[in-house]
Amino acid sequence: MAQLAIEYHRVQVRIEDQVAVTRVDQAFRNDNDWTVEGTYIFPLPAGAAVSSFTLWIDGEPVEGKVLDREQARQIYQEIVRKLQDPALLEYVDRGAVQASIFPIEPGESRRIELEYTQVLEADHGLIGYHYPLNTEKFSAQPLEQVSIAVQVLSADPVRAVYSPSHQVDIDRSDDFEFRVGYEAADVTPDRDFELYYTVAEDEIGLNLLSFRDPRSEDPDGTFLLLVAPSVQVDPARRIDKDLILVLDQSGSMEGEKFRQAQQALGFVLDHLNPGDRFNVIAFSTGTDSYAGRLRQADEVAEARRWVERLTAVGSTDINRALLEAVAQADRERPTFVIFLTDGLPTEGVTEAEQILDNLQEAAPSNLRLFTFGVGFDVDTFLLDSLAMEHHGAASYVSPGQSIDEAVSTFYEKVSTPVLTNLELEFGDQIVFDLYPDPLPDLFAGGQLVLVGRYRESGDLTIRLTGEVNGVTQTFSYEEQLLRSSGGPEFLPR
């Protein structure tokens, strides 16, 4: 069967007060040596209304019509007999629409623009958007380029934003607006695009999604919990922190990598909060510190000049650098260590398990460790384990990627902690297989995404406990539901 190549598949979505307008722009090309008929099938969401459909031929728009199935079939047969290009849109089974285009000469392209509107339902402050991106069942050929851009404007404060289907970039300007982006090339999408966001007046919003399949042999259900504070935090609630930056200056970092790493550290130093303290430790065969102890944020300019004078030379003693950073931690204040390296431990203690044991013994419970691996030669087991065991996260920058951009983007997300040492209580309900465990801290504009399994169904009250500047606070969320059947089908995956 002749296949049409999909040059691009672009989707723009604007959601305002739960009304979603989706604009689809696709181009198809006939790479065969013969004329073919193009058939475009698009499954519409329930309740969606098509507002426009246009077929572009040689740069000129031809308006399509929304026809019922019999009308479309009759007109299509008549136009095919005349060998003219129709732009037909017909509703077919399961809420799909179909555009039939004939003929497409070898090497020619056709472009389709489609727009439809739908009202999104809210379930206890949770709003979901679904786009039928799964093309695997319709075409064996990959999409040359695909992109989805979503803009959301909400009358109520938005808390969590989450896509269970795709790795997306999220840009939040304030509590009432955000943008989500996804882009890929040469892919055959095997799942639809899904986006969830929560709205709540609470200072910290919490939403629970659950799923249980009564037909499954597995009696347990699966759940996903979203917890998110406001993007904009009252300065009085801002938690003062200590920040220790640990930079690999071994010889393998020399050149563009080291220059970008220096710029990344400069960005972090420039964005310290007034009550924060900091220090910088550079390491290779040995270590070199900006200061012998933590310094106040007003010394940033001098620290930046010190970082700019560093050069890359020597081997890599990861164990010694981390232990020196831990030794400076104040057990009375939240302490963040940002550790950036491009290699494996080659000096001092080199066994990953021993490094992990040494740090586990030395690090206080208030320390959070965030690791950045640069390039392909890093010990991912070591960096992942360091971050997991110390309530942080591991990130990796591939060759050619911008180190300073990756670090600065990360720091913007964790620069303002609002709740630390989190604990969740699910009442009398039995929950297990929780991930992540232990729970990470909550930051302004960030969120906690917790997945797990549950035994019994029913309503429950969830309690979230954490610390704000040494003071314990508890938040209660009543009328949460663990379903006895049904729910979002992506949860087991």
Side-chain angles (χ1 to χ4, degrees):
M1 183 175 69
Q3 293 281 354
L4 294 174
I6 302 176
E7 295 180 2
Y8 62 78
H9 185 156
R10 300 168 184 161
V11 183
Q12 290 188 326
V13 187
R14 179 182 172 90
I15 303 173
E16 186 169 2
D17 297 335
Q18 295 179 226
V19 178
V21 179
T22 302
R23 297 180 176 88
V24 184
D25 183 359
Q26 290 184 269
F28 306 86
R29 185 182 63 249
N30 179 14
D31 288 340
N32 300 288
D33 295 329
W34 57 87
T35 300
V36 300
E37 172 186 353
T39 300
Y40 174 75
I41 298 176
F42 188 95
L44 281 173
V50 177
S51 50
S52 68
F53 167 68
T54 304
L55 166 68
W56 292 82
I57 303 174
D58 298 328
E60 297 294 327
V62 178
E63 293 297 328
K65 294 181 179 181
V66 180
L67 307 170
D68 64 39
R69 194 169 184 175
E70 290 303 319
Q71 289 176 319
R73 184 176 293 108
Q74 293 173 7
I75 296 175
Y76 172 67
Q77 291 172 347
E78 181 180 348
I79 296 179
V80 167
R81 284 196 295 269
K82 297 179 180 178
L83 291 179
Q84 296 178 1
D85 272 332
L88 303 179
L89 190 66
E90 73 171 303
Y91 288 94
V92 293
D93 294 338
R94 299 183 182 179
V97 296
Q98 176 178 308
S100 299
I101 309 164
F102 183 90
I104 304 178
E105 300 295 335
E108 287 190 355
S109 297
R110 294 291 183 265
R111 177 186 173 198
I112 287 178
E113 289 183 303
L114 172 69
E115 179 181 290
Y116 62 89
T117 304
Q118 64 188 122
V119 178
L120 306 180
E121 296 183 357
D123 183 7
H124 292 83
L126 178 73
I127 301 169
Y129 173 81
H130 179 100
Y131 179 78
L133 187 62
N134 183 356
T135 60
E136 190 176 43
K137 66 186 73 172
F138 302 119
S139 173
Q141 293 196 26
L143 280 66
E144 295 180 10
Q145 192 266 340
V146 59
S147 63
I148 298 178
V150 184
Q151 179 187 19
V152 176
L153 304 172
S154 174
D156 300 314
V158 175
R159 292 296 180 247
V161 181
Y162 176 69
S163 172
S165 59
H166 293 77
Q167 292 285 341
V168 298
D169 181 58
I170 302 172
D171 179 28
R172 300 196 61 174
S173 54
D174 56 39
D175 284 336
F176 301 91
E177 180 178 0
F178 68 89
R179 295 175 183 271
V180 170
Y182 165 76
E183 188 169 327
D186 194 30
V187 294
T188 303
D190 60 356
R191 63 185 59 173
D192 291 342
F193 177 83
E194 294 181 279
L195 177 69
Y196 289 88
Y197 63 96
T198 67
V199 295
E201 294 291 346
D202 298 331
E203 187 176 3
I204 296 178
L206 181 146
N207 294 82
L208 178 67
L209 292 80
S210 60
F211 175 87
R212 188 194 295 271
D213 186 354
R215 300 164 299 179
S216 173
E217 296 181 359
D218 185 352
D220 299 321
T222 53
F223 74 87
L224 181 146
L225 187 73
L226 297 170
V227 182
S230 170
V231 172
Q232 299 163 324
V233 175
D234 183 348
R237 287 189 52 82
R238 184 177 292 157
I239 299 175
D240 295 334
K241 65 183 183 296
D242 292 341
L243 185 68
I244 304 172
L245 304 167
V246 185
L247 172 64
D248 184 347
Q249 63 169 155
S250 60
S252 58
M253 287 284 290
E254 186 178 12
E256 180 67 14
K257 278 196 296 188
F258 195 66
R259 185 189 65 79
Q260 285 192 13
Q262 289 172 304
Q263 291 178 345
L265 265 60
F267 175 91
V268 173
L269 292 172
D270 286 343
H271 288 77
L272 292 174
N273 295 323
D276 293 345
R277 300 185 304 185
F278 77 97
N279 201 359
V280 184
I281 298 174
F283 75 96
S284 56
T285 307
T287 61
D288 188 12
S289 298
Y290 162 69
R293 56 186 176 84
L294 294 166
R295 310 302 297 176
Q296 299 297 325
D298 56 10
E299 286 192 25
V300 161
E302 184 178 345
R304 287 208 60 170
R305 288 191 291 270
W306 183 84
V307 170
E308 290 168 0
R309 292 195 296 268
L310 294 173
T311 57
V313 63
S315 52
T316 310
D317 193 339
I318 289 177
N319 182 74
R320 180 177 176 182
L322 288 174
L323 290 179
E324 289 203 16
V326 167
Q328 297 188 17
D330 184 341
R331 296 176 183 270
E332 302 301 320
R333 285 166 60 102
T335 300
F336 294 169
V337 175
I338 297 180
F339 177 69
L340 193 152
T341 182
D342 77 330
L344 305 169
T346 59
E347 184 80 16
V349 178
T350 58
E351 293 295 327
E353 292 288 357
Q354 186 61 54
I355 295 174
L356 292 170
D357 290 343
N358 292 345
L359 201 65
Q360 187 67 39
E361 182 178 346
S365 60
N366 63 312
L367 184 138
R368 307 293 186 256
L369 178 57
F370 298 89
T371 59
F372 280 86
V374 181
F376 294 137
D377 296 328
V378 295
D379 187 337
T380 56
F381 167 76
L382 175 62
L383 297 188
D384 287 346
S385 300
L386 285 169
M388 178 63 70
E389 292 181 4
H390 299 280
H391 298 259
S395 300
Y396 296 94
V397 184
S398 301
Q401 284 187 282
S402 174
I403 301 171
D404 52 346
E405 181 178 322
V407 176
S408 60
T409 299
F410 151 78
Y411 186 70
E412 285 180 336
K413 297 178 181 178
V414 302
S415 60
T416 308
V418 295
L419 199 66
T420 62
N421 298 323
L422 272 61
E423 293 183 4
L424 282 165
E425 298 178 5
F426 291 82
D428 296 331
Q429 298 286 356
I430 298 176
V431 297
F432 55 100
D433 287 351
L434 303 181
Y435 180 85
D437 182 23
L439 298 176
D441 298 332
L442 273 182
F443 302 90
Q447 61 192 28
L448 165 65
V449 180
L450 176 72
V451 295
R453 300 169 67 81
Y454 63 94
R455 188 69 36 82
E456 303 293 334
S457 304
D459 293 327
L460 72 157
T461 296
I462 298 177
R463 288 182 172 83
L464 170 67
T465 302
E467 293 183 4
V468 179
N469 287 323
V471 178
T472 300
Q473 294 195 1
T474 299
F475 304 85
S476 294
Y477 305 89
E478 300 177 349
E479 299 181 354
Q480 302 296 319
L481 175 64
L482 291 172
R483 295 175 179 269
S484 59
S485 65
E489 293 185 357
F490 72 82
L491 285 177
R493 182 179 71 239

